[in-house]
Amino acid sequence: MNDTEIQLLTLLNSYGDVVELDWQFDADNIISDLKKLEWENGPNGKSGLNLTGPAQGLDLEHQKKHDAFQIPNDNLKSCTGLEPFFSKWEKLARCRAVELHAGSFFGMHRDAHKMRPQMRIFIPLNKTEVHEWNFIYNTELYKFKPGKAYILNTRKQHGSFAMTSGIYHILMSVYLTETNLKTVMNMLPNCKEY
């Protein structure tokens, strides 16, 4: 990361580790669109599909998933309820939709632990009640609202566990740019220019 990206990351992190953005998705329609697409099997009982970059090939270890300027693919274009939100961001890395099944999980891990100038936007679309799905952030159980977008500091450890099937999430990787940080600032709740 260069000095400007470090400054942007410092400012972003000053808002908090988990920041709810002022955006509400029509989760039912998005899930309906997602169900029509071709999903690929992922690790630990999950399924996924790419929304930016190549439409096929999850290849979670591939370094190109961190490349900048990955354009929306046909999967994203099929989800009209996601497109307006995605269009607000520039310089996207690989973004994905994930479906969790009963027993599937994301083991405790850290993302962006290297010097990648990226931020994570997390959109849980449904089934966020504790009896359905649990998200652990650091050592705490964290509660999310379905259909909301969140900025997550994924440099801290986190993981999740599904107790039921049919759980849908959107995972966005967005580069730290002044434009993207201004987009975050414009979506912060209780934030107005005076």
Side-chain angles (χ1 to χ4, degrees), residues 42-59:
N44 304 321
K46 300 182 296 284
S47 300
L49 57 86
N50 295 327
L51 298 170
T52 59
Q56 300 297 317
L58 291 177
D59 197 6

Side-chain angles (χ1 to χ4, degrees), residues 12 16 33 37 51 59 83 86 90 98 109 113 137 145 147 153 168 190:
L12 178 71
D33 288 342
L37 300 174
L51 298 170
D59 197 6
E83 279 193 296
F86 270 73
E90 68 174 9
V98 178
H109 66 285
H113 58 283
Y137 189 75
K145 298 173 190 169
N153 177 357
Y168 293 90
N190 304 318

